[in-house]
Amino acid sequence: MAYKLRFSWLCMMLTVSSVIGEGDYAYDYEDAFAPGASVDTETPVSAPVPAPSSGRTALVPALFAFGDSLIDSGNNNHLLSFAKANYFPYGIDFGGPTGRFSNGYTVLDQIAKLLGLPLLPPYSELFNADKMRYGVNYASAAAGILDITGFHFVERIPFSYQINNFENTLVSLIKNMSASVVKEAIPKCMFFVGMGSNDYLNNYIMPAYFSQDQYSPQKFAELLIHQYKNQLTKLYDLGARKFMISGIGQMGCIPSILAESSSGQCSDLVNEMVHPFNAKLKTMIMKFNRGLPGAHFIFLDMEYMFKDIFRNHKSYGFSVIDRGCCGLGRNKGEVTCLPFQTPCPNRDEYLFWDAYHPTSAVNLLLGSMVFHGGPNFTYPMNIEQLASL
């Protein structure tokens, strides 16, 4: 059965795919990657969402992040793209819209805070060394492991191009420091990668891509993992050693999928489509740990964590788990959050902010789970343990 999203864009009529690779910037990186540097991690003054940590000593020199709209913090703002969140009420609990697809923080923000680092600036910003010195966020909404994923949103930055942007960053670092300093520093840094959701949501389960006609769920997962393996290996070849790889959550339970069901129930079919990817991803990570010298990969089991949150939502403080806080139509998932739409007032009680993304409260919870959690949440260790290696 082929699922199609009710979210109707003019861009669905487009047949041209655009991908963006950002240019090289010259940064002044005189004291970047200083080990044990004390950093100011205060949140924006107007942000009512409490920050998990502030002013602590950084556990690692820097954090580099790759992903999609779950962690994008503004890279799509200046693209010719329909995948944007640079308007109110996005950021309503952050002090204003930034490009984050959330009412407040993303899971990446929480991880950065717990590592003692400031919030990562998006790569597309023309920022100075003080903002960039502790890491960069390359994530782009609608991006996937496959370059073609998300083409109906027009411009986006697929994972392969995000890696190219990281390579550009290394070139800039070497220009401003030295090759030997960069070579020594990069393996001590943390690398967060969260890809794959769009390869299903904005590719495999959309009839416009014809992917289901070409691949069974198992074969599509194999296609993704093959490409993912090559991409992650390239990051390893560029010096990365400490990897946090996020799996895909319970995609069959997001409001946009719930809206496709007359009963409003989670789609077991969609969840079963995604499961082979998570299983193969975990296996790949175990092989990387055995086969790549000096590499430490951990798997963030978002599928299990979301199951746990759904199952025990009341004990976690959530009362609304079947619709978005901001959106239109059935389950507030047929059309996602529109400009200047009034969202629900009790946002911290909602699992989902819009048709596709968790609320800030869920992101903060997930960040804590993967940072401190046991082997059910992160395997073979958690982020705190990885940072200490």
Side-chain angles (χ1 to χ4, degrees):
M1 178 181 181
Y3 270 77
K4 62 179 180 179
L5 300 182
R6 293 181 183 272
F7 197 90
S8 168
W9 294 107
L10 171 63
C11 58
M12 285 298 293
M13 303 303 294
L14 297 175
T15 56
V16 178
S17 170
S18 297
V19 292
I20 298 298
E22 298 293 337
D24 191 13
Y25 299 113
Y27 302 121
D28 181 10
Y29 243 70
E30 292 303 319
D31 55 353
F33 303 107
S38 180
V39 300
D40 177 13
T41 60
E42 290 184 4
T43 50
V45 216
S46 53
V49 180
S53 63
S54 179
R56 64 182 289 181
T57 299
L59 300 181
V60 293
L63 169 63
F64 297 95
F66 308 80
D68 50 34
S69 59
L70 291 170
I71 64 165
D72 188 353
S73 58
N75 281 310
N76 276 30
N77 286 355
H78 304 295
L79 298 185
L80 179 62
S81 175
F82 288 91
K84 291 187 180 184
N86 57 346
Y87 56 84
F88 188 84
Y90 286 98
I92 188 173
D93 297 314
F94 195 88
T98 61
R100 287 170 171 81
F101 288 74
S102 170
N103 56 303
Y105 292 105
T106 67
V107 65
L108 179 67
D109 294 331
Q110 173 76 321
I111 291 170
K113 286 288 184 178
L114 292 175
L115 287 170
L117 298 169
L119 304 186
L120 301 185
Y123 177 80
S124 61
E125 281 187 2
L126 294 174
F127 42 80
N128 56 35
D130 285 339
K131 284 188 176 181
M132 181 192 174
R133 58 188 291 190
Y134 298 109
V136 180
N137 183 357
Y138 303 93
S140 170
I145 295 169
L146 304 178
D147 285 356
I148 193 165
T149 288
F151 80 85
H152 56 287
F153 287 102
V154 197
E155 291 183 346
R156 71 273 180 224
I157 312 170
F159 185 32
S160 56
Y161 286 76
Q162 293 179 34
I163 295 171
N164 291 342
N165 291 340
F166 171 66
E167 199 165 5
N168 290 339
T169 301
L170 291 182
V171 171
S172 296
L173 291 176
I174 290 168
K175 285 179 183 176
N176 286 280
M177 299 169 64
S178 72
S180 59
V181 170
V182 173
K183 185 178 180 181
E184 182 183 353
I186 292 298
K188 300 173 185 175
C189 300
M190 301 280 276
F191 288 76
F192 178 96
V193 185
M195 301 298 305
S197 294
N198 283 312
D199 293 291
Y200 286 92
L201 192 61
N202 290 304
N203 185 331
Y204 191 68
I205 65 175
M206 295 191 76
Y209 286 79
F210 304 105
S211 296
Q212 286 190 56
D213 297 333
Q214 301 174 60
Y215 304 99
S216 68
Q218 284 286 343
K219 290 296 182 183
F220 189 69
E222 289 172 11
L223 172 70
L224 293 180
I225 292 299
H226 176 76
Q227 177 75 352
Y228 212 6
K229 178 183 177 182
N230 294 335
Q231 292 164 333
L232 292 172
T233 301
K234 183 174 181 181
L235 276 179
Y236 173 85
D237 291 341
L238 290 170
R241 293 296 181 269
K242 296 183 177 184
F243 291 87
M244 303 166 277
I245 311 296
S246 175
I248 302 176
Q250 288 286 90
M251 186 172 292
C253 299
I254 65 175
S256 67
I257 299 297
L258 295 179
E260 297 291 332
S261 164
S262 56
S263 63
Q265 298 297 309
C266 293
S267 169
D268 292 335
L269 179 61
V270 172
N271 284 334
E272 286 166 9
M273 284 178 182
V274 174
H275 181 74
F277 173 81
N278 285 328
K280 291 177 187 300
L281 178 58
K282 188 174 183 180
T283 300
M284 181 183 70
I285 285 171
M286 292 165 64
K287 289 180 179 177
F288 273 151
N289 283 332
R290 291 195 300 265
L292 294 179
H296 298 282
F297 283 77
I298 64 173
F299 175 64
L300 313 183
D301 197 339
M302 291 295 172
E303 184 178 6
Y304 182 90
M305 282 182 275
F306 269 100
K307 282 181 182 176
D308 182 57
I309 294 173
F310 275 110
R311 229 178 0 243
N312 305 298
H313 60 274
K314 289 183 180 177
S315 62
Y316 283 118
F318 302 110
S319 57
V320 186
I321 65 172
D322 61 348
R323 61 185 181 275
C325 172
C326 186
L328 297 174
R330 185 183 295 152
N331 298 89
K332 296 291 182 74
E334 293 184 281
V335 177
T336 198
C337 194
L338 296 175
F340 300 102
Q341 185 179 348
T342 302
C344 64
N346 52 333
R347 293 179 283 278
D348 286 349
E349 296 177 24
Y350 274 65
L351 225 57
F352 295 102
W353 159 246
D354 61 14
Y356 309 99
H357 307 95
T359 58
S360 182
V362 172
N363 286 329
L364 292 175
L365 173 61
L366 291 171
S368 296
M369 283 176 159
V370 295
F371 194 85
H372 301 292
N376 285 338
F377 296 160
T378 62
Y379 181 86
M381 66 185 77
N382 60 36
I383 292 176
E384 187 174 27
Q385 292 165 332
L386 178 64
S388 68
L389 295 178

